[in-house]
């Protein structure tokens, strides 16, 4: 199954994301000893698809991979383990958002520019009562794939917030779109967190007290990347 080189190859309502997301899931699988070549072959992809992390792929194709990989491996923590990876190993986009002066400005940057990496991202920061909420939008896929997709997003955002709030920070409340997944209750990334399942979307509660904190321990930024306009967002032409 070949990856589309532009949006013309897929229906107009298809969402796309960068191949680097697939690579992160594969790295986590490989760290546990799983053969990602075989897992990719199960959905008609070869390992060569991982060679260009900046290429685009349909979100539905990644969800198909996640559905198949979890059915084969039973590795339910995959999304959490893939998402918590340090930002310095991620894209120029991920590094650039960390260069905002405060956590609040970093989260606003993510909301404004995340479609450069994932066209399905509907991130927004809203103030509701005693918290700011990082809301991530509804994921449309099978329950198993939705769970892996949103736990990845949760862990990735957690890793970013910790650059300001500290390496051990955890939210007090998290809402997941998925129904109760008993297998992750014991995860240290959810320890003592009030988790609500079956919500309309992933949402992370953040105390207003930490939103003005500066960002620390940010990775080195490539010399050629100095602003979001330097990161291409268009789909590559064939």
């Amino acid at each position: 199954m070949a990856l589309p080189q532009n949006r013309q190859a897929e229906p107009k309502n298809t969402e796309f994301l960068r191949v680097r997301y697939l690579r992160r899931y594969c790295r986590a699988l490989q760290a546990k000893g799983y053969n990602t070549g075989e897992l990719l072959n199960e959905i008609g992809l070869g390992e060569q698809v991982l060679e260009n992390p900046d290429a685009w792929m349909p979100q539905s194709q990644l969800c198909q991979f996640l559905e198949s990989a979890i059915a084969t491996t039973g590795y339910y923590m995959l999304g959490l383990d893939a998402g918590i990876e340090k930002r310095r190993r991620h894209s120029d986009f991920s590094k650039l958002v960390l260069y905002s002066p405060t956590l609040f400005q970093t989260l606003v940057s993510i909301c404004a520019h995340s479609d450069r990496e994932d066209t399905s991202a509907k991130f927004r920061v809203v103030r509701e009562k005693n918290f700011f909420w990082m809301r991530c939008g509804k994921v449309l896929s099978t329950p198993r794939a939705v769970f892996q997709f949103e736990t990845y997003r949760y862990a990735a955002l957690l890793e970013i917030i910790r650059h300001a709030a500290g390496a051990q920070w955890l939210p007090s409340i998290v809402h997941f779109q998925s129904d109760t997944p008993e297998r992750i209750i014991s995860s240290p990334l959810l320890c003592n967190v009030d988790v609500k399942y079956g919500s309309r979307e992933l949402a992370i509660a953040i105390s207003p007290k930490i939103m003005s904190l500066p960002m620390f321990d940010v990775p080195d930024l490539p010399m050629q990347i100095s602003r979001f306009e330097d990161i291409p967002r268009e789909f590559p032409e064939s």
Side-chain angles (χ1 to χ4, degrees):
M1 184 185 298
L3 292 180
Q5 293 302 304
N6 54 48
R7 298 180 94 164
Q8 305 304 318
E10 294 288 331
K12 291 184 179 180
N13 61 349
T14 296
E15 301 287 6
F16 288 82
L17 41 67
R18 303 282 189 178
V19 168
R20 75 179 90 261
Y21 288 90
L22 176 61
R23 281 170 55 124
R24 293 169 196 156
Y25 285 109
C26 285
R27 276 202 295 261
L29 285 160
Q30 290 164 356
K32 294 293 184 181
Y34 295 112
N35 187 324
T36 53
E38 292 180 357
L39 295 172
L40 289 167
N41 288 338
E42 287 180 7
I43 65 164
L45 292 177
E47 290 184 281
Q48 68 274 12
V49 74
L50 303 174
E51 294 175 359
N52 182 6
D54 290 320
W56 294 93
M57 67 183 297
Q59 183 195 62
S60 59
Q61 198 169 45
L62 176 60
C63 288
Q64 183 185 4
F65 172 78
L66 295 172
E67 176 76 27
S68 176
I70 300 304
T72 300
T73 67
Y75 181 15
Y76 294 96
M77 298 282 196
L78 174 58
L80 291 173
D81 289 347
I84 201 64
E85 186 179 51
K86 295 294 184 183
R87 294 301 102 182
R88 58 177 47 88
R89 293 194 64 189
H90 286 220
S91 65
D92 293 331
F93 168 82
S94 295
K95 294 175 181 177
L96 190 55
V97 296
L98 297 177
Y99 275 80
S100 299
T102 66
L103 174 60
F104 178 75
Q105 290 167 302
T106 292
L107 297 179
V108 169
S109 292
I110 292 172
C111 295
H113 301 288
S114 57
D115 63 345
R116 296 171 185 271
E117 295 286 296
D118 177 357
T119 67
S120 74
K122 304 294 186 291
F123 295 162
R124 60 209 187 277
V125 180
V126 297
R127 179 70 185 265
E128 296 176 7
K129 297 183 179 178
N130 296 327
F131 295 100
F132 281 96
W133 288 86
M134 185 68 172
R135 296 191 170 277
C136 300
K138 188 178 181 65
V139 180
L140 301 177
S141 189
T142 63
R144 183 177 283 158
V146 167
F147 178 58
Q148 296 303 321
F149 207 88
E150 67 174 351
T151 51
Y152 173 93
R153 283 180 169 177
Y154 166 72
L157 288 167
L158 180 62
E159 202 277 327
I160 289 174
I161 295 169
R162 285 177 170 181
H163 279 279
Q168 303 304 314
W169 183 86
L170 289 170
S172 55
I173 308 170
V174 172
H175 293 175
F176 282 111
Q177 178 182 329
S178 304
D179 293 330
T180 307
E182 298 178 356
R183 297 175 181 84
I184 72 158
I185 294 299
S186 60
S187 170
L189 298 185
L190 293 169
C191 182
N192 297 320
V193 177
D194 181 6
V195 182
K196 178 182 178 181
Y197 298 98
S199 302
R200 62 184 179 184
E201 62 184 339
L202 170 64
I204 303 170
I206 306 171
S207 169
K209 295 179 180 179
I210 71 169
M211 292 296 262
S212 61
L213 292 177
M215 302 295 287
F216 293 105
D217 188 30
V218 296
D220 293 333
L221 194 66
M223 291 292 291
Q224 70 273 21
I225 301 293
S226 60
R227 58 191 186 278
F228 284 107
E229 286 69 21
D230 294 331
I231 301 175
R233 65 186 302 167
E234 295 80 7
F235 288 82
E237 296 298 330
S238 56

